[in-house]
Amino acid sequence: MKYVVDSNRLRDEELSKFLRISPENLAVLPDYAAMEALKGDPVVGLFESMKVLERFPCQVQILKTTMVVCSLGGSSHGLQRRLVDVPRTREFGIFCRNLALAHAGNTPLVSQLQKLGIESRAHMARVEEDARGFAATSVEAARIFTTEERMQILAPEPLPPELHRKLLLQVMNLSAVVFEQHPAVKQLPSSAELINTYIFRSSLCHLLLGFEYASFGGVPGKAATRIRND
C-alpha cells in the first residue's frame, strides 16, 4: 500500500504505524512536502520533518518535481513508475544521514540546506502569487455550470452524456491554456494520453475547487496563502 504524505503528516506517528505494519507499505513524498519543511529554518525544519521517515529509508518513494512531472507523457503503461525519482529514492538513506550531520553543525551541508530554503521560499511565493489567478479562472469556468449541474457532477452517480461532454470540454479548455504556457511542455499529448497527464488531472481538480469557491462567493476575501493550500 502507498500513502502520499503531505507536510502535515510528516511528523505524525500515524505515518510511523503505517510503515511498521508491513515492509511493503510505502510513504510517497512529493516535492511540496519538502518545500513546506524548508520554509522556516531549513536545517531544523527538515530534520524534524524527516524523523519518522529516516527510520524507514527503504519504504520511501521520492517523486519527481512538479515541473518535471508536467512534462511527462500520458501513456498508461508505467504511469505511476514514471513519477518516481529513482536516484533520489535510492539515496534517501544517505540524504537522512547528511541531514543529521547538518543538524549537528556541518558547515557545508548547512549552507546547502540554507540555499534550498531560499529557493523553496521563493518558489512558494511565486505559487502563492499565481494561485489567485488560477482560482479566479477556475471559478469563472465553474460558473458555466448551473448549481444543479455542479451537484450532479459531484454526486457518485454516472453523468448524463451531455453533462459529461460539457465537463470534459471545460477541463480541456483549462488544461489547453496550461499546456500552451508551461515551460516544461515540449509537445501536446495525444487524445488517448491526455487524461493521464498531470496537467489535465490538475485542471480537473482546479475546476472542482472552482465549484466549491463559486458556491461560497468566489475568490474575493480569500487569503492567497489559503488559496495556495487549497
Side-chain angles (χ1 to χ4, degrees):
M1 186 180 294
K2 294 183 179 182
Y3 185 98
V4 180
V5 185
D6 65 11
S7 57
N8 293 324
R9 291 296 182 191
L10 278 173
R11 305 186 190 191
D12 194 336
E13 275 304 309
E14 286 299 317
L15 176 59
S16 177
K17 290 178 186 175
F18 167 76
L19 295 172
R20 281 201 308 268
I21 288 171
S22 167
E24 300 299 314
N25 286 350
L26 297 176
V28 179
L29 195 62
D31 56 352
Y32 278 91
M35 280 192 274
E36 287 282 356
L38 285 163
K39 278 196 312 182
D41 182 325
V43 177
V44 175
L46 200 56
F47 178 77
E48 293 295 329
S49 292
M50 294 297 149
K51 274 188 172 179
V52 172
L53 293 183
E54 72 173 354
R55 305 202 300 267
F56 308 92
C58 296
Q59 290 174 250
V60 177
Q61 278 190 338
I62 309 295
L63 297 188
K64 293 172 182 173
T65 66
T66 304
M67 176 70 78
V68 172
V69 170
C70 283
S71 71
L72 298 178
S75 169
S76 58
H77 182 69
L79 182 61
Q80 288 191 23
R81 187 178 65 248
R82 287 200 302 278
L83 300 176
V84 178
D85 189 322
V86 175
R88 290 172 67 207
T89 295
R90 189 186 299 124
E91 295 167 3
F92 182 72
I94 298 171
F95 168 79
C96 288
R97 288 194 290 276
N98 286 338
L99 192 56
L101 289 172
H103 191 257
N106 183 291
T107 303
L109 293 173
V110 168
S111 296
Q112 288 181 36
L113 283 178
Q114 287 174 338
K115 183 181 177 184
L116 284 175
I118 292 169
E119 292 171 356
S120 294
R121 287 190 291 275
H123 180 79
M124 296 300 274
R126 288 194 299 274
V127 170
E128 201 167 289
E129 198 173 294
D130 293 340
R132 189 172 293 278
F134 274 121
T137 302
S138 300
V139 169
E140 190 177 316
R143 285 179 173 153
I144 293 171
F145 299 84
T146 66
T147 302
E148 292 73 22
E149 285 175 331
R150 289 181 223 152
M151 291 175 66
Q152 260 188 299
I153 290 169
L154 296 175
E157 290 78 23
L159 296 180
E162 278 305 306
L163 183 54
H164 186 276
R165 182 173 180 275
K166 184 177 180 179
L167 174 64
L168 182 60
L169 283 173
Q170 287 309 309
V171 178
M172 289 177 70
N173 286 338
L174 286 172
S175 59
V177 174
V178 182
F179 276 118
E180 183 180 349
Q181 296 179 354
H182 201 284
V185 174
K186 303 303 179 189
Q187 63 181 33
L188 295 177
S190 67
S191 57
E193 292 188 355
L194 175 64
I195 196 169
N196 287 328
T197 62
Y198 177 87
I199 287 174
F200 180 88
R201 294 187 178 204
S202 65
S203 296
L204 173 59
C205 292
H206 278 129
L207 180 59
L208 297 179
L209 183 61
F211 283 11
E212 182 178 335
Y213 282 3
S215 299
F216 296 97
V219 176
K222 286 186 172 61
T225 304
R226 171 64 187 274
I227 295 173
R228 184 201 71 198
N229 288 342
D230 288 346

